[in-house]
Amino acid sequence: MEERLLLAVDGNSLLYQAYHAFYKANLTTRDGFPTGALKGFFTKLLELLKREPSHVLVAFDVHQPTFRHERYADYKLGRKPPEEDLKKQMPVVRELLNAMGIAVIECPRFEADDVLGTFARMAEQQGMDTLIATGDRDSFQLITDRTKIYYTKNNSIVDEAALHELYGLEPERMKDLKALMGDSSDHIPGIAGVGEKTALKLLETYGDLEGVLAHASEVKGKLGERLRDGVEDARFSYWLGTIATDAPVRETLDDCAFVPERAANARQRFYELELNSIAERLAGKDEKPEKPELSVETVAIRDEQGLSDALNALSDADAIAIVTTPTLAFSGAPDKAYALTAGETLFDACMDEDEAYRMLGAFLLAHGVPILTFDAKKLYHRCGFEADRLPPLRFDAMLSDYLLNSNRPVESFDALCRAWLKSESGSPAHLFALEPKMTEAIERNGLSALLNDVELPLLNVLFGMERIGFRTDETVLSDLHARFSETAKTLESHIYDLAGERFNILSPKQLGHILFEKLGLPSGKKTKTGFSTDADTLEAIAPLHPIVNDVLKFRFLTKLDSTFVEGLLKQRDKNGRIHTRFMQCVAATGRISSAEPNLQNIPVRTPEGREIRKAFVPSEGNILVGADYSQIELRLLAHISGDAGFIDAFNSGEDVHARTAAEVFHVPLDKVTSEQRSAAKAVNFGIVYGISDFGLAKNLGVSVPTASGYIKRYFERYPGVKAYLHESVEQGKANGYAQTLFGRKRPLPELNASNYNVRQFGERVAMNMPIQGTAADLIKIAMVRVDRALRDGGYQARLVLQIHDELLVDAPKDEAEAVKRLMQDCMEGVAAFRVKLIAEAKCGESWYETK
């Protein structure tokens, strides 16, 4: 006979536990809907379903008084209502469970525990085993030889033997335990002053609750008094804490029959909630994918002749849609696509992909057919295009999605098709359907100019920079490696001497033992694996022992050497050039980021870090021309805030930090001290990021009241800045997003979060995004203009690097002075503001020399 198992889940318990497990992660969809509780709940549920239950139910409390409230109005008094983020997810849990074919059961006047107990007894009567999944220990009273508890707080199975090992009690006695000790979370009184330890000892001595009460007169002292005074409370608590096993539920076990295949019906909804990992787990191994909303015939290409025939068939197409993953596929119409595909047997290999892209690239250049794609830059690289000769690009779905969802851009083309077309997977033909939908959204959100005049032209510029690369000097890198290695060895030896033994300095566990146990230094926060040895912890105790500074220096040097120096040596091509990848669709502010290698992460605030820039050199016979914006974010703050004093501080041509110090500290400009200027500089830059008095105090090494005074005087002198910061938050709340001067939007779901720290972060983003995002827009526009001016002017010079507010051009020496002027003109003339934009340019034989 087939074994049958009822999986009975305490929905409230699991949902609350899931919510708090993901509380700090602040998981949301791209439009701000919270999903942390959903992710945790269904991740655990899918794990439980691996036990292959024949019947499944999820029980929830009914949001109305129960039979316990009817007798005891204070039952569960004081429990906080669920947080707003959790409340929003509660109906969605039920929706998803229903879609999965899982019974959702509630019973008026009864709690979820009572539903679980009732169905567990039903199952026993029908010869079924039950596994109750809950984080509530009250359920331990339901354990029998056929009913076990899956305790979700530590993922353990609790049966009769396990319960006896934990408490020394049988399941029935768990009600006696609760009657004696009560439960503050449910407002069950129990006997005053009796805790778990005392209650267990009493039960061990007298057997059960009635035995304890019957012998209360024999118990001496205060405890005996409490037992005698608490007889009624104990018996009432016993009644309150007893789970009903006869709740008048309407459903039967047959209503809880579970068909695993039905769970896949919820997959699309999980995709819509951007819980892709859960959605993908719902597909059975042998399940055929659902027919997509848009039906596309796909023709397989297995050899060069097949590819040639396909391309010829598209020679008169108005546009060609192309995707590069998981393999090359393209289309000339919404209902038909061609895809590179392996043969029908293991011995039939697919044609070489590189050759396929070469043929496609040649076709695109020869016919000049406009392209629709997802990630055009990647396609350009695969086709082997040169930056000076590219086919026309009509639509890049990745760029459009990024502008529409800057804080949560999609991870793949398939995800984009799921979000916009409800299609399980992406076909290149789907780009024909995506183009009008996404273009309309771009226009509706006022992003057309940003897309067409900035992001699309910039894509070509970035592609050209990646193709060219940046020349590096192997000798400089090798010398740095040797020097850093030698210094690290000296530090290592000194650290061992100070520690009195050898150990792995880079092991937090071993380092923690040396610092906090052997040397007895004061330890800070602890992690799950031991003492914290992060930078903040070590810097706080650095004055107490010389070993700490040596450890910090050793860590820094070894990371600098392995990550950057050795990393760069490995990533040089045969011509000695580094080809970083510029990522256009990552940062929510619009900033360009860099990867493989990440040149933005070189720690240039230190002398050793700056030395690495010496390894970046011009091409043979050339010179580098570097230009960067001066105090761009502060200038934008002055413009956007409209504060007359702050604007004048820039337009007067004076040292803005000294001028701010003079205003804040009420001293003549020529009497400003270096300390006052440093403080004013910290306030100036901190204000842009919504810095707190605590944060400023930490940065300056002053007291919080002193830092608070600095900020107060700053706002008194620059009231327009204070007004702007306040208004930016209010506008963010009203609009749901922050916006740059060029229309780039960053959604602000954080402003509605229930977590205070998350809301504070949202407020800082609301203040900073218009400034930092506008600065990002400016440098992008400048890059497009510089690149265009170089090409239109017939220069051989080319852009090779962009880092934050800085541009570098690799130029023939005879073009250097003209290129300097060209870069300054393009950068300073990007836009007209209340304060002048200043770009400072310099030539050098290395990146180091251009700063």
Side-chain angles (χ1 to χ4, degrees):
M1 186 177 182
E2 185 182 356
E3 290 188 14
R4 297 190 299 163
L5 170 67
L6 168 65
L7 171 63
V9 179
D10 184 339
N12 292 87
S13 171
L14 185 56
L15 190 58
Y16 274 81
Q17 187 179 330
Y19 173 73
H20 289 288
F22 286 89
Y23 183 62
K24 292 183 179 178
N26 190 37
L27 296 180
T28 67
T29 60
R30 291 188 293 168
D31 60 2
F33 185 82
T35 57
L38 297 173
K39 181 178 177 67
F41 183 95
F42 285 99
T43 297
K44 178 59 67 179
L45 181 61
L46 291 181
E47 288 177 14
L48 290 166
L49 291 176
K50 289 179 181 178
R51 297 174 182 272
E52 300 183 355
S54 58
H55 295 69
V56 183
L57 72 88
V58 179
F60 286 101
D61 293 336
V62 178
H63 296 295
Q64 58 182 240
T66 67
F67 70 91
R68 295 178 179 89
H69 290 94
E70 292 168 3
R71 185 171 167 188
Y72 179 45
D74 288 348
Y75 181 58
K76 295 192 175 181
L77 182 69
R79 278 207 176 183
K80 294 180 180 179
E83 292 88 340
E84 285 301 313
D85 282 0
L86 177 56
K87 284 171 67 175
K88 292 176 183 177
Q89 297 174 73
M90 287 177 168
V92 183
V93 170
R94 290 172 169 79
E95 173 196 344
L96 289 164
L97 289 169
N98 288 327
M100 293 174 70
I102 293 176
V104 176
I105 299 181
E106 301 169 330
C107 185
R109 298 181 60 250
F110 288 79
E111 296 176 72
D113 283 349
D114 302 319
V115 173
L116 298 173
T118 298
F119 272 90
R121 295 301 174 259
M122 277 188 203
E124 285 188 13
Q125 292 166 9
Q126 296 191 25
M128 288 175 61
D129 290 335
T130 299
L131 182 66
I132 296 175
T134 181
D136 188 348
R137 293 189 304 174
D138 290 347
S139 62
F140 291 173
Q141 65 184 265
L142 297 173
I143 294 171
T144 67
D145 59 341
R146 280 198 171 275
T147 299
K148 299 175 184 177
I149 306 300
Y150 182 92
Y151 191 53
T152 56
K153 289 188 176 177
N154 61 10
N155 301 318
S156 64
I157 298 290
V158 185
D159 56 13
E160 290 177 305
L163 182 66
H164 197 273
E165 187 175 334
L166 285 169
Y167 293 99
L169 298 177
E170 296 175 353
E172 186 69 19
R173 299 284 75 79
M174 293 300 292
K175 293 182 283 186
D176 301 327
L177 178 64
K178 184 147 206 174
L180 288 167
M181 60 182 283
D183 186 341
S184 59
S185 67
D186 287 344
H187 213 253
I188 296 177
I191 294 178
V194 174
E196 183 176 284
K197 187 175 181 181
T198 301
L200 286 171
K201 190 171 182 181
L202 288 168
L203 291 172
E204 182 183 6
T205 305
Y206 300 112
D208 59 15
L209 174 64
E210 289 304 322
V212 172
L213 298 179
H215 292 83
S217 59
E218 302 171 13
V219 180
K220 297 179 181 179
K222 196 73 174 175
L223 177 58
E225 256 179 65
R226 288 171 174 167
L227 291 174
R228 291 187 287 277
D229 293 342
V231 171
E232 289 187 14
D233 281 345
R235 288 183 173 136
F236 183 56
S237 296
Y238 182 92
W239 178 82
L240 280 173
T242 298
I243 294 174
T245 57
D246 57 353
V249 294
R250 292 170 298 179
E251 297 83 357
T252 67
L253 278 172
D254 289 342
D255 295 317
C256 304
F258 178 60
V259 181
E261 291 75 18
R262 290 182 185 169
N265 293 336
R267 205 176 346 156
Q268 184 57 45
R269 184 70 176 109
F270 278 111
Y271 279 134
E272 291 170 1
L273 291 162
E274 298 168 27
L275 297 172
N276 296 345
S277 61
I278 295 175
E280 286 158 9
R281 289 174 64 183
L282 293 179
K285 291 181 181 178
D286 301 324
E287 182 182 351
K288 294 181 180 179
E290 296 176 14
K291 188 176 181 181
E293 185 177 301
L294 301 174
S295 181
V296 179
E297 175 194 355
T298 301
V299 178
I301 297 173
R302 297 190 173 93
D303 52 35
E304 290 186 23
Q305 185 58 53
L307 177 58
S308 180
D309 291 343
L311 292 174
N312 287 335
L314 301 181
S315 58
D316 294 327
D318 293 332
I320 294 183
I322 308 167
V323 295
T324 59
T325 55
T327 187
L328 172 61
F330 52 88
S331 172
D335 57 356
K336 187 174 183 178
Y338 300 87
L340 216 59
T341 310
E344 296 179 359
T345 72
L346 293 175
F347 303 101
D348 297 331
C350 176
M351 76 170 289
D352 180 69
E353 261 202 322
D354 290 339
E355 177 61 18
Y357 276 106
R358 187 199 65 75
M359 290 176 62
L360 173 65
F363 173 85
L364 294 173
L365 292 178
H367 290 77
V369 185
I371 294 174
L372 289 74
T373 190
F374 180 90
D375 193 355
K377 186 152 62 69
K378 180 179 179 181
L379 174 65
Y380 292 169
H381 280 297
R382 293 303 308 267
C383 289
F385 292 141
E386 294 297 331
D388 295 329
R389 192 172 178 221
L390 296 170
L393 177 63
R394 194 172 91 182
F395 175 63
D396 188 325
M398 186 173 79
L399 271 180
S400 293
D401 172 73
Y402 171 60
L403 288 180
L404 291 167
N405 302 285
S406 60
N407 61 334
R408 292 284 294 276
V410 293
E411 298 173 357
S412 67
F413 181 58
D414 282 352
L416 187 73
C417 290
R418 284 194 293 268
W420 284 82
L421 303 176
K422 314 303 181 199
S423 177
E424 286 291 322
S425 60
S427 162
H430 290 161
L431 284 162
F432 290 107
L434 285 167
E435 183 186 25
K437 283 176 177 276
M438 298 186 78
T439 299
E440 187 277 329
I442 288 284
E443 292 172 352
R444 179 166 22 93
N445 283 276
L447 297 166
S448 298
L450 195 61
L451 174 65
N452 297 318
D453 300 338
V454 181
E455 298 292 356
L456 284 171
L458 179 69
L459 185 154
N460 293 353
V461 177
L462 296 177
F463 171 70
M465 293 164 67
E466 290 177 357
R467 285 284 289 175
I468 295 168
F470 202 147
R471 186 173 174 234
T472 53
D473 189 322
E474 184 177 16
T475 301
V476 173
L477 289 170
S478 298
D479 288 348
L480 285 174
H481 173 57
R483 180 150 46 101
F484 290 167
S485 298
E486 187 61 34
T487 306
K489 284 181 182 177
T490 302
L491 285 167
E492 183 181 50
S493 178
H494 194 221
I495 290 167
Y496 292 157
D497 289 343
L498 292 170
E501 63 177 275
R502 296 175 66 87
F503 66 100
N504 183 352
I505 302 169
L506 298 179
S507 164
K509 187 173 181 180
Q510 293 183 37
L511 178 61
H513 167 73
I514 294 293
L515 297 180
F516 307 121
E517 294 180 347
K518 183 172 183 179
L519 298 180
L521 293 171
S523 61
K525 57 189 176 183
K526 292 192 75 173
T527 66
K528 291 180 181 179
T529 55
F531 296 105
S532 172
T533 58
D534 61 16
D536 288 342
T537 300
L538 296 191
E539 285 167 5
I541 61 172
L544 305 179
H545 199 291
I547 194 174
V548 182
N549 267 325
D550 283 351
V551 168
L552 287 168
K553 291 176 184 174
F554 178 82
R555 274 185 178 176
F556 173 72
L557 271 183
T558 51
K559 181 177 181 180
L560 195 66
D561 189 27
S562 62
T563 302
F564 295 105
V565 179
E566 290 187 283
L568 291 172
L569 281 167
K570 291 174 184 175
Q571 290 174 303
R572 299 169 76 245
D573 68 9
K574 62 183 181 181
N575 297 313
R577 304 184 82 88
I578 293 287
H579 299 269
T580 189
R581 182 160 55 93
F582 294 103
M583 295 184 292
Q584 194 174 352
C585 301
V586 174
T589 57
R591 282 201 168 202
I592 301 167
S593 52
S594 163
E596 300 173 359
N598 184 350
L599 300 182
Q600 294 184 355
N601 271 5
I602 297 175
V604 294
R605 295 181 185 274
T606 64
E608 297 89 349
R610 287 194 292 274
E611 291 262 312
I612 294 175
R613 288 187 166 186
K614 292 180 178 178
F616 288 84
V617 296
S619 301
E620 193 70 39
N622 281 12
I623 194 167
L624 292 177
V625 184
D628 65 348
Y629 281 117
S630 171
Q631 301 171 323
I632 183 65
E633 291 187 356
L634 292 182
R635 292 174 184 273
L636 288 172
L637 175 60
H639 169 80
I640 293 173
S641 70
D643 186 280
F646 205 35
I647 291 171
D648 185 60
F650 280 105
N651 289 341
S652 64
E654 296 170 331
D655 179 335
V656 70
H657 300 309
R659 169 75 176 268
T660 299
E663 299 281 3
V664 169
F665 295 107
H666 305 296
V667 296
L669 187 61
D670 59 354
K671 299 296 183 184
V672 170
T673 66
S674 59
E675 291 79 12
Q676 289 172 329
R677 184 185 183 279
S678 294
K681 182 177 180 179
V683 176
N684 270 331
F685 284 109
I687 289 297
V688 177
Y689 293 92
I691 199 168
S692 65
D693 49 8
F694 177 81
L696 182 61
K698 185 178 180 182
N699 290 350
L700 292 176
V702 298
S703 69
V704 173
T706 299
S708 181
Y710 290 165
I711 294 174
K712 181 181 178 182
R713 290 197 292 274
Y714 180 95
F715 283 144
E716 287 172 352
R717 184 60 193 88
Y718 300 130
V721 174
K722 184 177 183 180
Y724 158 72
L725 297 176
H726 173 74
E727 288 166 8
S728 63
V729 174
E730 293 306 308
Q731 287 177 0
K733 291 176 180 177
N735 299 332
Y737 59 84
Q739 188 170 1
T740 72
L741 295 180
F742 294 91
R744 186 183 305 276
K745 296 177 180 178
R746 197 280 197 189
L748 295 170
E750 298 90 349
L751 291 178
N752 296 317
S754 58
N755 184 316
Y756 172 79
N757 290 330
V758 174
R759 287 200 308 275
Q760 288 293 102
F761 170 75
E763 291 185 5
R764 291 195 296 274
V765 172
M767 298 174 195
N768 175 251
M769 167 62 187
I771 299 165
Q772 192 179 86
T774 298
D777 291 340
L778 285 173
I779 197 70
K780 285 181 170 181
I781 297 169
M783 291 173 72
V784 171
R785 292 191 177 190
V786 168
D787 182 79
R788 186 174 297 147
L790 291 174
R791 294 177 188 279
D792 291 348
Y795 293 93
Q796 295 301 305
R798 289 291 180 266
L799 275 165
V800 290
L801 187 64
Q802 182 273 337
I803 297 290
H804 301 310
D805 306 322
E806 174 185 8
L807 299 181
L808 272 93
V809 167
D810 189 352
K813 290 182 178 179
D814 61 357
E815 293 181 0
E817 288 305 314
V819 168
K820 261 179 72 174
R821 291 191 297 273
L822 179 150
M823 292 177 74
Q824 285 179 299
D825 289 344
C826 288
M827 293 174 73
E828 293 178 353
V830 163
F833 295 124
R834 294 184 177 105
V835 295
K836 179 176 171 57
L837 297 182
I838 301 294
E840 298 169 344
K842 186 178 179 182
C843 297
E845 294 294 338
S846 70
W847 183 11
Y848 182 89
E849 291 184 7
T850 65
K851 295 299 290 179

